[in-house]
């Protein structure tokens, strides 16, 4: 929300973000250039000392902002994905430029090869940190006409590397549908099961009240109208035509998402990390029509300075997958 006197500004190519690789190289040739750019993104209205509120500060050689008034030092990377990094910001900027310029994204192995990272683990950790930044904190709700459905990912289709497991992840998809054709933004998330509690909670988290929400006839969605949505149930007719898709939006997303996981990541996705991949897919899909790849760089960097840092340990050890359950809906429908 903008206050009085502030302008809603849209970032401009060549001024707010580099448009070409040449511009990128010029702007970010030095650590200084990167640090100043980061400061501008982090404090668009100018830095203010968190202790005394003074705007009078100088940048030390170690990239700390030193308040002239109270002497407090503020790290320009603390509280961002770059916190505690030992690598130069220049390398981070190069990685962000690289991954936002790859239309389909990049695997850890690809990043290791291209940027000459010593270890696969480093490349992997960086990608995961950046994936966390791909979800805009406090992002907008979908609105208008929305289609919602679930899909199953992993399991016997070969999505799991190494030991086979029959379990699958249930992924809920919500997408804005334009008329007569075309799609808007998407939201994708793992859900623990397909009960009304889980599915309606997902819809409430991502879709603005008052929207039209189309689903299939599954009873898990039956209470949507009680939560302020105009609920359209689309029930498969008895014609049995397999080409007829009741919810084309989620159907399309599910197909693209599975192809992307198998293609770019060659199925090497651990399913307790699936949420991060879903975030990356969402980030890319929602910006698919952006002609300016530099704008993607800008957006990702902008979000990277807003999220909490994560360590490799936090990514690997901190998350267990609570959502791997048998696909109950599938069983009930087929059984
Ligand atoms: Zn101060």
């Amino acid at each position: 929300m903008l206050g009085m006197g502030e302008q809603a500004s849209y970032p401009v190519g060549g001024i707010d973000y580099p448009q070409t690789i040449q511009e990128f190289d010029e702007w970010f040739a030095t650590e200084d250039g990167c640090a100043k750019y980061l400061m501008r993104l982090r404090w668009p209205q100018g830095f203010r000392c968190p202790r005394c509120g003074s705007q009078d500060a100088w940048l030390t050689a170690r990239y700390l902002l030193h308040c002239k008034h109270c002497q407090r030092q503020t790290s320009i990377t603390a509280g961002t994905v770059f916190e505690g990094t030992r690598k130069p910001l220049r390398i981070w900027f190069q990685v962000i430029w690289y991954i936002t310029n790859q239309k389909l994204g990049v695997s850890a192995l690809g990043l290791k090869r291209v940027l000459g990272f010593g270890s696969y683990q480093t490349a992997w950790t960086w990608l995961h940190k950046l994936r966390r930044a791909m979800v805009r904190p406090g992002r907008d709700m979908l609105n208008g006409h929305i289609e919602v459905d679930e899909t199953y990912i992993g399991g016997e289709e070969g999505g799991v590397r190494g030991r086979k497991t029959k379990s699958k992840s249930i992924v809920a998809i919500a997408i804005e549908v334009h008329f007569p054709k075309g799609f808007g933004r998407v939201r994708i998330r793992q859900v623990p099961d397909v009960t009304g509690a889980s599915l309606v909670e997902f819809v409430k988290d991502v879709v603005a009240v008052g929207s039209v929400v189309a689903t299939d006839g599954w009873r898990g969605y039956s209470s949507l109208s009680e939560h302020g949505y105009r609920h359209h149930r689309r029930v498969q007719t008895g014609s049995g035509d397999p080409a007829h898709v009741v919810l084309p939006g989620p159907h399309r997303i599910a197909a693209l998402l599975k192809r992307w996981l198998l293609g770019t990541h060659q199925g090497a996705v651990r399913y307790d990390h699936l949420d991060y991949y879903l975030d990356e897919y969402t980030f890319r899909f929602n910006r698919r029509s952006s002609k300016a790849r530099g704008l993607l760089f800008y957006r990702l960097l902008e979000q990277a300075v807003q999220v909490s840092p994560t360590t490799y340990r936090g990514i690997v050890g901190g998350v267990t997958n609570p959502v791997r359950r048998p696909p109950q809906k599938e069983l009930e429908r087929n059984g």
Side-chain angles (χ1 to χ4, degrees), residues 47-54 56 67-72:
F47 173 74
R48 238 172 226 288
C49 172
R51 184 192 283 159
C52 74
S54 166
D56 218 2
C67 175
K68 286 184 193 169
H69 185 74
C70 75
Q71 318 303 322
R72 183 192 160 115

Side-chain angles (χ1 to χ4, degrees), residues 195-206:
T195 61
S198 298
L199 294 173
V200 171
E201 184 188 309
F202 167 70
V203 173
K204 284 167 70 182
D205 281 352
V206 302

Side-chain angles (χ1 to χ4, degrees), residues 152 166-170 191-194 322-332:
Y152 298 92
K166 285 185 180 173
S167 58
K168 298 180 181 186
S169 297
I170 310 169
V191 288
D193 51 49
V194 294
V323 295
R324 210 181 274 168
R325 303 261 175 86
Q328 198 59 31
K329 182 174 176 180
E330 211 168 55
L331 292 177
E332 287 186 34

Side-chain angles (χ1 to χ4, degrees), residues 124 128 132 153-154 159-161 165 167-169 190 268-279 313-324:
W124 187 92
H128 269 274
R132 282 177 58 102
I153 288 187
V160 180
R161 180 189 245 184
T165 164
S167 58
K168 298 180 181 186
S169 297
Q190 287 194 79
V269 170
R270 271 191 38 206
Y271 282 84
D272 45 354
H273 299 134
L274 182 60
D275 284 323
Y276 300 125
Y277 292 91
L278 299 180
D279 289 347
R313 189 174 298 276
I315 295 168
V316 172
V319 192
T320 51
N321 186 0
V323 295
R324 210 181 274 168

